[in-house]
Amino acid sequence: MGYGWRMMTLPIGRTPRAEGSRGPLWGWPTASGAAAFGVALLLARIRPVAGSAWAALWPGDVDSASTALQAVVTTSVTVTTLTFSLTVVTLQLASQQFSPRLLRRYARDRATKTVLSVLTCTFVFSITTLAFLDAERRVPAPAVVVAMALGVASLAAVLAYLTHIVREVRVDSMMRAVHEETATAIGMFYPALEDPRPLSPDRVCLDEDAGVTVYASRSGFVRLVDVSALVECARTHNVLVRLDARPGDLVVARTPLATVWAREPGAAPARPDADGTADAVHEAVTIAYERTLDQDVAFGFRQLEDIAVKAMSPGINDPVTATAAVGHMADLLVRLADRRLGPTLHLDAQGEPRAIVPDRDLRYYLDLACGQLGRFAAAEPTVLVALLRMLRDLAVVVHEDAGRADEVRRAAGTVRDAVSPAVSAADAEAVHDLHCRVLTALEGSVARAYADRSGETRSV
């Protein structure tokens, strides 16, 4: 079948994800507001006797406590509005200046959730305490003091958030965050090259004509594949399931999602619609309208590529940012070079092949990193040189692997041929020089591939 097979086993019920905080933006503030309301109800009942140590926490009367609480409530509302405004401006800038696919990262930002939680907590606690003030009763001193402390905490949180948002709105911070999540996904989902578990292709022989297709029940991006559930489904029905879509793929309803084969010798073709296999496959594959990095390494490359392409648009024209994005992709490609790529074969507890999950190969990632950006940067040799520099770094790692070396050689030729005729001879020469260095690295002459006069083949 032409698959590069490898085996991977996961504990039953485990669906690993590479993204960090995934809860909705309103989740933390809502929970903190509910907790603040409950605590305020409890503390509002504590009304220390005059002259006691607890009463000394708030030496003023009910009117002064009411004034203080009103100030805290008003300030918390104002500061919350400011925080939301800053967040919206940041989202707008990230979408227009860099990539709309970066918005999901800000919606998951822990710092934003924390600040909004503190502000919500302050507002709810203070206004609840204010409602329990009574001129004919003693002041609930502990509750008032806690409200004052929350007011100070809100101010500190906003100051910290201003520092955070200024740092996060920088393109370097955005690229670093995408880089780190993508590197996590690579380490989580791709086994090392020296992993002793790859299976031989002849372990499973499949007759394509004997397979029965399972069609997608809905449209969207494949977000998650629960491999353990897929294996359990195949074991229960004694079949072999091969997914025909991988995380990140766009699937349209009523198009092929998987293929099922009966495992019993001479058995009739599987009937996934009749025996429940199709329903189990649908449950094991999460399809949603939004693409995520949970199990989709290519989406990390897509975000970095978007930043680079946007930087090369006529309205921005920032080749330095584009080359920085290429640098991040270079590191990720080198990480991929140490991993086994391609489809995975998954076994059940008895060692029987049960599920084949497709995945992307090195050519796909090279085309993703070089193709679109190479076309947009055809007239900018600085970016083309950066792409070839990336391929030179990758060539050093893969030059002993003939198959992967051929892919790097092909990608380097594509970048070299992308040079626009409008580029001057001197600038075109720099591109051709880096192309030759890629070929030199593929030949194993690493020192010659990196030797230059003054670091010009590594600097921007």
Side-chain angles (χ1 to χ4, degrees), residues 71 118-119 122 149 154 156 233 374 421:
V118 173
L119 295 174
T122 301
S154 296
C233 153

Side-chain angles (χ1 to χ4, degrees), residues 166-401:
V166 169
R167 181 176 65 250
E168 290 300 303
V169 79
R170 297 182 305 169
V171 67
D172 292 329
S173 298
M174 296 179 188
M175 291 190 292
R176 185 193 68 238
V178 174
H179 181 170
E180 290 175 352
E181 284 193 339
T182 308
T184 299
I186 291 173
M188 185 178 294
F189 299 111
Y190 290 124
L193 276 176
E194 60 271 14
D195 194 312
R197 299 174 297 169
L199 296 177
S200 171
D202 58 9
R203 174 67 182 269
V204 178
C205 294
L206 300 177
D207 181 2
E208 292 292 337
D209 295 332
V212 179
T213 302
V214 174
Y215 296 93
S217 60
R218 58 180 299 184
S219 301
F221 290 99
V222 176
R223 179 180 291 184
L224 295 171
V225 175
D226 189 342
V227 178
S228 58
L230 204 62
V231 170
E232 181 62 20
C233 153
R235 186 196 64 78
T236 301
H237 298 91
N238 195 24
V239 296
L240 173 65
V241 179
R242 184 189 70 196
L243 285 184
D244 296 325
R246 58 199 55 73
D249 283 357
L250 178 62
V251 175
V252 177
R254 301 175 64 184
T255 60
L257 177 65
T259 307
V260 178
W261 285 268
R263 294 298 294 155
E264 285 292 338
R271 296 291 304 278
D273 292 330
D275 63 10
T277 304
D279 292 337
V281 171
H282 291 149
E283 291 179 2
V285 180
T286 301
I287 297 178
Y289 69 93
E290 184 180 12
R291 189 176 179 183
T292 70
L293 232 170
D294 280 326
Q295 294 181 352
D296 182 11
V297 172
F299 188 51
F301 280 87
R302 168 49 59 199
Q303 293 179 72
L304 292 170
E305 180 84 354
D306 282 351
I307 293 173
V309 169
K310 183 80 76 169
M312 291 308 302
S313 64
I316 299 177
N317 196 23
D318 181 10
V320 175
T321 295
T323 57
V326 172
H328 285 282
M329 289 191 287
D331 177 77
L332 296 174
L333 283 172
V334 169
R335 292 172 186 261
L336 283 173
D338 291 330
R339 301 286 171 169
R340 293 188 179 275
L341 308 178
T344 55
L345 176 63
H346 302 265
L347 312 180
D348 61 15
Q350 288 72 41
E352 286 293 321
R354 291 302 182 186
I356 301 170
V357 180
D359 212 328
R360 311 182 193 282
D361 56 15
L362 184 60
R363 172 178 288 196
Y364 180 93
Y365 287 110
L366 288 175
D367 289 343
L368 181 57
C370 300
Q372 190 178 39
L373 181 57
R375 293 189 293 274
F376 272 82
E380 180 47 66
T382 303
V383 179
L384 296 179
V385 165
L387 288 172
L388 290 168
R389 190 163 55 234
M390 172 186 72
L391 295 175
R392 178 182 62 177
D393 295 336
L394 182 59
V396 172
V397 182
V398 305
H399 71 273
E400 294 182 352
D401 186 324

Side-chain angles (χ1 to χ4, degrees), residues 110-133:
R110 292 179 181 272
T112 302
K113 293 179 180 179
T114 301
V115 172
L116 292 177
S117 298
V118 173
L119 295 174
T120 303
C121 184
T122 301
F123 173 80
V124 173
F125 187 93
S126 300
I127 201 169
T128 303
T129 304
L130 184 62
F132 278 85
L133 292 182

Side-chain angles (χ1 to χ4, degrees), residues 86-87 90 93 98 105-106 109 111-112 158-174 176:
L86 290 173
T87 302
T90 302
L93 178 62
F98 306 116
R105 173 175 170 260
Y106 287 98
D109 185 44
T112 302
V158 170
L159 292 176
Y161 183 70
L162 289 174
T163 303
H164 170 76
I165 208 68
V166 169
R167 181 176 65 250
E168 290 300 303
V169 79
R170 297 182 305 169
V171 67
D172 292 329
S173 298
M174 296 179 188
R176 185 193 68 238

